[in-house]
Amino acid sequence: MNVLEVRGVGKQFGGLVALDKVDFDVRKGSITAVIGPNGAGKTTFFNLVTGVYRPDCGEILFDGRSVVGLRPDRVTALGLARTFQNIRLFADLSVVDNVLIAMHRRLTSGILDILLNRRKTRIEERRALGEVYGLLEYLGLEPWINEPAKNLPYGIQRRLEIARALATRPKLLLLDEPAAGMSPRETRELTDLIRRLRDDFDLTVLLIEHDMKLVMNISERIMVLDYGRAIAEGTPEEIRSHPKVIEAYLGHSAVS
């Protein structure tokens, strides 16, 4: 069963074709990767799936429902969450508050309830904080709970972004270059974490990544983009030896 189905999706910026009628499926419960050289269209693909951009053509189905034209917050409400290539945390807010913000869509108290400090609001707040502390413990972020996000080490900021995404209770988690800037040890820990997230939270994971060792170790299927076109799709073993993939990364002479 597919949780995400992309059919003939294209996006153009002026004269630049960022994505050229891409077809792609993501199976429920899988760990799937999107790879390709810089400028291949990977982040554009994520932005189309999450509602940041609207495609010029094609269809995007999440859990059987079209998400084309929906705002990013509505896409998130359906169960699709993401992290970003360039970390986007609330720098001056604490670790707890960064994650708590992501839970706002699941809270029902209005402004009047908050001003009057109603019992319903207090119960919701306690429940939300309990869930946030649970996520922070799971991700090993307890030592930094009250620390402003801007003071965190880089690898910990990446984990905080994941915690914030998990707070929305997603079905599909999109990770945009989660290993960027990490040390080899941090990358190994991230690989283990992604597997645990999939299993423990019953998630489907879709990631963009340049670290080919991580991709080949963790992915069950891979799509390769080059100049906005999907040039290959398959298992890590199939992708590793695919002539078009080798050419895209190393040039025509490498294939010859």
Side-chain angles (χ1 to χ4, degrees):
M1 178 181 176
N2 296 322
V3 68
L4 182 69
E5 298 176 56
V6 176
R7 297 286 177 267
V9 166
K11 184 66 180 177
Q12 188 167 331
F13 298 99
L16 174 66
V17 177
L19 218 61
D20 189 7
K21 295 182 178 178
V22 169
D23 294 319
F24 189 50
D25 292 332
V26 177
R27 296 172 185 168
K28 181 179 174 63
S30 67
I31 298 176
T32 304
V34 179
I35 66 171
N38 288 329
K42 303 182 297 297
T43 295
T44 296
F45 178 76
F46 265 29
N47 286 338
L48 290 168
V49 169
T50 55
V52 176
Y53 299 148
R54 182 173 184 138
D56 297 328
C57 61
E59 186 62 272
I60 302 170
L61 299 176
F62 174 62
D63 248 2
R65 173 177 174 174
S66 175
V67 295
V68 172
L70 295 183
R71 300 190 314 264
D73 63 300
R74 294 304 307 148
V75 175
T76 300
L78 292 175
L80 197 158
R82 70 174 293 183
T83 64
F84 293 87
Q85 180 179 356
N86 300 312
I87 295 174
R88 297 185 186 181
L89 296 170
F90 297 98
D92 293 316
L93 294 185
S94 69
V95 166
V96 166
D97 287 340
N98 263 276
V99 182
L100 196 58
I101 282 173
M103 302 189 70
H104 76 278
R105 74 171 187 86
R106 290 165 37 209
L107 305 179
T108 59
S109 296
I111 294 176
L112 185 60
D113 298 319
I114 295 170
L115 290 175
L116 295 177
N117 193 29
R118 287 178 171 156
R119 181 171 179 272
K120 164 192 168 182
T121 302
R122 296 196 301 272
I123 291 172
E124 277 197 328
E125 287 177 346
R126 285 197 297 271
R127 187 179 298 127
L129 275 172
E131 187 170 337
V132 167
Y133 286 133
L135 285 172
L136 296 179
E137 180 182 3
Y138 180 88
L139 289 162
L141 295 170
E142 292 170 289
W144 294 275
I145 278 177
N146 296 311
E147 194 72 30
K150 65 184 177 184
N151 293 345
L152 301 177
Y154 185 83
I156 300 302
Q157 289 188 23
R158 286 283 181 194
R159 284 187 177 240
L160 178 55
E161 262 208 323
I162 292 173
R164 187 174 62 184
L166 290 175
T168 68
R169 292 187 184 172
K171 301 173 187 175
L172 174 60
L173 178 62
L174 279 67
L175 303 174
D176 193 346
E177 297 194 29
M182 287 190 174
S183 67
R185 178 183 60 80
E186 289 173 326
T187 300
R188 288 192 299 272
E189 291 174 352
L190 176 67
T191 302
D192 293 338
L193 174 61
I194 292 172
R195 287 196 183 100
R196 286 195 290 115
L197 290 175
R198 188 266 303 271
D199 297 338
D200 294 346
F201 290 86
D202 192 24
L203 288 174
T204 303
V205 178
L206 178 62
L207 69 146
I208 293 171
E209 188 50 67
H210 282 291
D211 187 320
M212 287 301 100
K213 185 175 181 180
L214 184 153
V215 169
M216 294 299 172
N217 282 341
I218 201 172
S219 304
E220 292 154 12
R221 290 196 68 79
I222 300 171
M223 175 176 72
V224 187
L225 292 174
D226 189 33
Y227 293 107
R229 294 184 176 183
I231 60 171
E233 182 182 344
T235 65
E237 292 73 21
E238 292 167 339
I239 294 301
R240 187 180 284 113
S241 58
H242 198 293
K244 287 186 178 180
V245 177
I246 296 171
E247 182 177 344
Y249 276 97
L250 301 178
H252 179 73
S253 59
V255 180
S256 302

